[in-house]
Amino acid sequence: MRRLLHALALGSLMLAATPVFAREAGPVTHSMTERGNVKIEALSQGSGPTIVILPSLGRSGEDYDAVSRMLAEDGFRVLRPQPRGIGRSQGPMEGLNMHDLAADVASVIEHEKAGPAVVVGHAFGNFVARQIAADRPDLVKGVVVAAASAGKVPPGSTEKPIGPEMRKAIDGPSDPSLPEEKRLEYLRIAFFAPGNDPRVWLGGWNEAVHHMESHARNHTPVDDYFAAGSAPILDLQAEHDPVAPRRFAGVLKSLLGDRVTIVVIPNASHALVPEQPSAVAREIAKFSRNLDAK
């Protein structure tokens, strides 16, 4: 009997340590939204309150397959609009600014009747997420910035948010002319924490989209998107992120105050999502549920 009770107790502990998901994730479906001469493809999965995920610089929403599945299993609908130039998304690629990219995503949220949604922006995607919240607050109930450069440094600092050497490491992996080992070196420098495998991001880069998004960022005043309107913000910081180092990462909270909540994800760098997908999904879900409970 004592052994039986011990086994039952051990089983209960194991169940408690295992995530219990609300439902099956279901298949990923694809839809198209047209806005003038722009067509945006969106990946959709699950049902429930909507979470929109926006990818890193020059990359695809498919980077978030694992996180999207976890969130769908946890009772959310996940939308992943593809940037122009990726998948079936298309439109002019020259002379854009952050307002243009935000409008692409806003059109998907409207088309899918998914607002107000929680909008998650990973790395570069955080600029787009904050721009949507500033331009279309009716479509956004909260913003998650993940491994995010704030675009500003703390008051009194003379450093640039991203220096020239780090910029080289950020841009290098998307350059197909570079040898694989050099690209891996840049991935280790800028994107992956020690011990984490950078090879998972050797593929999936789109050089044209990288240039398009970089131009948009460089031709939009930071203050256009910095504050994310008045939306609540979850700042998911990666413990070992050299692109958005933690000495800078608190600038959102220092300037925006209590509507910013900071959570640090251990054993992760700027790539974050392929390094710690479960932790990222858990914190996004927690933030989303807290918003719905208010």
Side-chain angles (χ1 to χ4, degrees):
M1 177 61 73
R2 182 175 297 175
R3 289 181 179 179
L4 176 60
L5 291 173
H6 176 75
L8 289 171
L10 182 61
S12 297
L13 286 172
M14 292 177 66
L15 285 172
T18 304
V20 179
F21 295 113
R23 63 195 72 184
E24 292 293 323
V28 176
T29 61
H30 298 251
S31 65
M32 296 296 297
T33 299
E34 296 190 22
R35 181 174 62 87
N37 60 348
V38 178
K39 297 179 181 179
I40 301 297
E41 178 183 19
L43 287 62
S44 179
Q45 189 173 21
S47 60
T50 301
I51 295 171
V52 178
I53 301 181
L54 309 179
S56 181
L57 183 68
R59 296 194 64 86
S60 162
E62 293 180 354
D63 283 343
Y64 310 92
D65 283 351
V67 167
S68 297
R69 174 182 53 77
M70 292 175 193
L71 289 170
E73 289 173 344
D74 206 10
F76 294 94
R77 180 190 185 194
V78 185
L79 283 176
R80 290 177 279 165
Q82 297 279 41
R84 301 184 194 190
I86 289 181
R88 293 188 292 160
S89 292
Q90 57 185 274
M93 300 280 283
E94 302 293 332
L96 303 180
N97 58 37
M98 298 305 299
H99 299 279
D100 297 315
L101 304 187
D104 289 350
V105 178
S107 69
V108 172
I109 297 174
E110 287 188 306
H111 178 261
E112 297 291 331
K113 296 179 174 57
V118 170
V119 182
V120 180
H122 174 214
F124 171 83
N126 106 87
F127 302 131
V128 185
R130 285 189 277 160
Q131 191 68 72
I132 299 165
D135 291 351
R136 294 296 307 272
D138 57 310
L139 297 178
V140 179
K141 63 182 174 184
V143 171
V144 179
V145 297
S149 169
K152 293 184 179 184
V153 296
S157 174
T158 59
E159 291 186 69
K160 292 184 177 181
I162 297 174
E165 289 304 310
M166 188 54 63
R167 174 52 59 191
K168 186 185 298 185
I170 294 169
D171 294 341
S174 67
D175 184 350
S177 70
L178 294 177
E180 181 177 295
E181 282 306 313
K182 189 63 178 178
R183 294 174 62 225
L184 282 170
E185 178 187 339
Y186 283 141
L187 284 168
R188 292 187 187 99
I189 291 170
F191 292 96
F192 285 82
N196 294 341
D197 184 7
R199 289 185 177 275
V200 297
W201 263 25
L202 265 176
W205 297 95
N206 186 303
E207 194 173 14
V209 173
H210 180 108
H211 290 310
M212 177 266 287
E213 293 175 332
S214 296
H215 181 279
R217 181 194 63 235
N218 292 334
H219 289 80
T220 307
V222 173
D223 284 330
D224 282 14
Y225 56 79
F226 180 81
S230 58
I233 299 172
L234 171 62
D235 186 357
L236 281 185
Q237 300 175 8
E239 181 183 20
H240 302 291
D241 191 343
V243 179
R246 295 198 58 217
R247 69 180 184 277
F248 292 165
V251 70
L252 279 173
K253 187 167 184 66
S254 69
L255 296 177
L256 301 180
D258 289 344
R259 66 186 175 93
V260 179
T261 300
I262 295 175
V263 173
V264 178
I265 304 295
N267 191 28
S269 182
H270 198 55
L272 180 57
V273 175
E275 297 177 285
Q276 298 296 338
S278 296
V280 170
R282 180 181 65 245
E283 296 299 337
I284 293 171
K286 180 180 176 181
F287 175 72
S288 301
R289 288 204 170 91
N290 285 343
L291 289 179
D292 290 337
K294 292 180 179 178

